Each structure stands twice: as structure tokens, then as C-alpha cells.
Amino acid sequence: MTGFTSRVVYAAAHVVADPAADNGAGTPAVLDWDATLRFREHLWSLGFGIADAMDTAQRGMGLDWTATRELIRRSGEAAKAVGAAKVPALLACGTGTDQLAAGAHSLPDIQAAYEEQLGVVEEAGARVILMASRAMAASAQSADDYLTVYGSLLNQASNPVILHWLGDMFDPALTGYWGSADIPTAMATVLELINANPAKVDGIKISLLNADYELELRSRLPEGVRLYTGDDFNYPDLIKGDAAGHSDALLGIFDGIARPASQALQALDRGDLETYDRLMEPTVELSRHIFEKPTFNYKTGLVFLAYLNGHQDHFRMVGGLERARDAAHLTELLRLAEIAGVVDDPELAAARFAAVVAP
């Protein structure tokens, strides 16, 4: 496929751990590169752009910068090999500061860390996603600090970037991002940044799990700047939109519901809203279950779905995160996945489920 025509849509993709490696908490991440890249080819084949090296790939929760840098390089090569690079915006990669140790750092050191990663992403031929930074959250003293660092990065970027606003339900270390824990105040800072640099911002991905905040920000963006929904609770309506507008998408849940979501987005391209709703609506309860509190453990559910559907041969994760959800959660996940139509082979899924969760 060559992508969707009515929306720009990225699926934030997970990584596949090497089951022969330790991959325990605190150990360097070792990936099964073949399986990791095959899954990206699967998503491309369904029309999705890929948002790589993001939260869904366990940035900050098992995937260290060394492995991330290699992931970005290999994904860039894979995109060129399958021709995805010929389609605008089919690969975007996270640019962060996670090569820095935990804690506070000087703003010049934070900017230098961002710049290093920005260079890696641009060299790979991918669009830059300026990820929310734990170092910025720990170090910034005011909104002006965010405007200074981000303004410099936007000026240096070769192409328009995607900004990234990840709520503290996904990462508690990001509390107070953009200089305030008050969302309207933080939003004003974001808009000041974007309005000062509209030609350098492709869009902003917002993941606050609050549709009202997203609609408010979307209505205030300058013309030509996209709102990429990261709302894994309310995505069908936000993507469908109304007379006032619509959101594009950069979502982790598309990693797990790729096939029916692709069919729904194709229907949306045709203007067939009835089919879009019929395919999308059953996925919402599954998504809300996968992203239930603690929300940051949603990666476990996505990897479990990939295992059930045969995209990988084991249920192991970097950082040992396969243990982050209990048997009751995984049991309900399978039930909801069947209702949502995301189980490709029920017999395979049942056998693999039994191998992980004893009956």
C-alpha cells in the first residue's frame, strides 16, 4: 500500500526482544532484529507510517540509547528497501535525551543530547519527532527554558518536525512538562513555540487521554500544522472528526489493531463512515483495557497481541516487562481482542495463550 489519503497515520511500533539474551531489568537491550523489522514491514504493508524509537518501543523502559540508535539506523534502511521512503511521512523516529543519566542537567547539555539524536534520525532519512525529555522535565526552571531549547532545535532541523506532548500517565517523570502542571498554561507555551516557528513544525502529537484538551489545541493551531492524536481512549472520533476538523494520528494502539484499523482508514478515505465506525468502535474497549492504569505498562499488552498473532515466537520483552501485567489482565485482553476482530488465527492464539497463562 502507499498510505492513506485522507489522514496522515503513524503506528508507534514495538520492538522484539532476543529471547536468548538476558534482557532483564537494568541490562542492555538485545533485540531480535529480523522479527523487529518484519513487524515494521507488516505495518507498512497495511498502509501505516511507522513512528519508531518511541514510548511504544520502550524508550526509557528497557530500550537504551545504544539499541535505539541501531533501531533508527536499521529502520531507515528497511524503509528505503521497501520503498516506504518514497511516500511522504512513512517513517518518523523519536529524538530524545536518554543518553543522559537520570536527573537534572544543564540546558546546554540537554540541547547537545537532543542534537546528537537529531543527527542520527536525519541521517537515517526519517522525520524527526522531538520527544518529551525527562531531563528537560527535571531541569527546566520555566517555560522560557523550553522555548529556548526547542526553538534552537527547530532552527537546526533540516525538515519540519513533530513535537511530542506525553502526559504523566504515560511517564510520571514528565509531570509539569512545558513548564507547568496546569494543562491550559502548558498549552499556551506550546502554542507560543509553534506560532513562532510554524514552518518548522509538521505537527504535534498529544497524549493526554483527554479529548477536550486535544480539541482545544487543535482549534488553535496555525494553518498547516497537524494535530496527531495520541489518545488511545478516544481515537476513532478524533480521527473521524466533524465540520470543525479532524486529527491525524500517531498511536501505539495501531501496533495491536493494525489490520481492522487499516480497513477502517481505507473506508474513511472512501467516505464510508458506516464501515469506519463498524470496524473501529469494537477496538476501543480493547485499547482502554491495554492502556488501563498503570498506563505505561501498555507495551506488555501490545507485545502479547503480537505473540498471539504470530508476529513473534515468544512472549519476552526488554527490561523483563512481560511480567508487568498479570494473568487476569491478559485473559481479558484475549477476550476483548476476539470481540474487536484483531485475532488472526484463533487456534494459534488459544495455544499460545495457554502456553503463557495456564488454564
Side-chain angles (χ1 to χ4, degrees):
M1 287 186 62
T2 57
F4 308 109
T5 58
S6 61
R7 306 289 187 271
V8 177
V9 182
Y10 293 97
H14 76 281
V15 294
V16 182
D18 181 344
D22 181 0
N23 277 316
T27 64
V30 182
L31 302 187
D32 178 337
W33 290 112
D34 289 342
T36 294
L37 294 174
R38 276 199 307 272
F39 191 74
R40 280 142 183 77
E41 291 166 1
H42 163 69
L43 293 173
W44 277 320
S45 75
L46 292 171
F48 291 96
I50 292 175
D52 218 336
M54 297 290 291
D55 186 64
T56 303
Q58 295 182 241
R59 290 291 290 271
M61 290 189 69
L63 193 73
D64 54 89
W65 170 236
T66 299
T68 298
R69 183 170 53 218
E70 183 67 7
L71 174 65
I72 293 168
R73 184 186 71 79
R74 289 182 184 241
S75 290
E77 290 180 352
K80 294 169 187 174
V82 302
K86 297 178 182 177
V87 181
L90 278 194
L91 178 65
C93 294
T95 299
T97 63
D98 48 337
Q99 68 270 55
L100 299 175
H105 296 268
S106 71
L107 292 185
D109 284 349
I110 293 170
Q111 183 168 319
Y114 264 127
E115 289 169 352
E116 177 189 359
Q117 295 199 16
L118 188 151
V120 170
V121 172
E122 291 194 333
E123 185 176 355
R127 185 180 293 281
V128 169
I129 303 172
L130 284 181
M131 296 179 65
S133 160
R134 290 176 178 174
M136 277 297 298
S139 308
Q141 299 298 306
S142 68
D144 286 342
D145 288 343
Y146 288 89
L147 294 173
T148 297
V149 171
Y150 275 83
S152 178
L153 294 169
L154 290 176
N155 185 59
Q156 294 178 57
S158 300
N159 296 295
V161 311
I162 298 173
L163 300 176
H164 177 245
W165 187 355
L166 194 67
D168 57 13
M169 69 289 293
F170 287 92
D171 187 346
L174 299 177
T175 300
Y177 213 72
W178 303 112
S180 178
D182 177 67
I183 297 300
T185 301
M187 190 180 297
T189 300
V190 170
L191 287 165
E192 182 178 350
L193 174 68
I194 295 172
N195 283 320
N197 304 275
K200 299 306 294 280
V201 179
D202 170 73
I204 178 168
K205 173 245 175 59
I206 178 171
S207 297
L208 300 178
L209 301 184
N210 184 307
D212 290 338
Y213 286 140
E214 178 168 325
L215 292 172
E216 172 68 15
L217 179 58
R218 193 174 79 190
S219 71
R220 297 171 64 186
L221 289 175
E223 185 176 357
V225 176
R226 301 178 185 276
L227 192 298
Y228 290 99
T229 186
D231 189 332
D232 300 278
F233 283 4
N234 303 294
Y235 54 93
D237 287 342
L238 291 165
I239 294 169
K240 182 169 65 173
D242 55 27
H246 66 264
S247 296
D248 295 285
L250 196 164
L251 285 164
I253 191 55
F254 284 156
D255 179 290
I257 65 168
R259 182 173 48 77
S262 174
Q263 294 168 353
L265 290 161
Q266 291 174 61
L268 187 63
D269 287 347
R270 300 190 302 268
D272 183 355
L273 299 184
E274 181 179 351
T275 298
Y276 174 86
D277 290 338
R278 177 175 56 80
L279 291 167
M280 278 293 207
E281 286 178 2
T283 70
V284 173
E285 189 175 359
L286 170 64
S287 186
R288 292 189 176 205
H289 178 70
I290 289 173
F291 285 80
E292 72 180 7
K293 294 180 180 178
T295 301
F296 47 77
N297 284 336
Y298 75 88
K299 298 97 168 170
T300 302
L302 294 179
V303 173
F304 190 58
L305 268 178
Y307 166 68
L308 293 179
N309 278 328
H311 294 296
Q312 57 194 76
D313 296 330
H314 59 86
F315 181 43
R316 293 282 307 280
M317 298 176 67
V318 297
L321 285 188
E322 69 272 12
R323 297 184 291 273
R325 297 294 202 189
D326 62 19
H329 177 92
L330 298 179
T331 301
E332 180 66 0
L333 186 154
L334 176 58
R335 186 185 75 84
L336 293 173
E338 290 173 336
I339 293 170
V342 302
V343 176
D344 296 332
D345 183 337
E347 290 187 5
L348 175 66
R352 290 191 161 196
F353 175 82
V356 172
V357 183

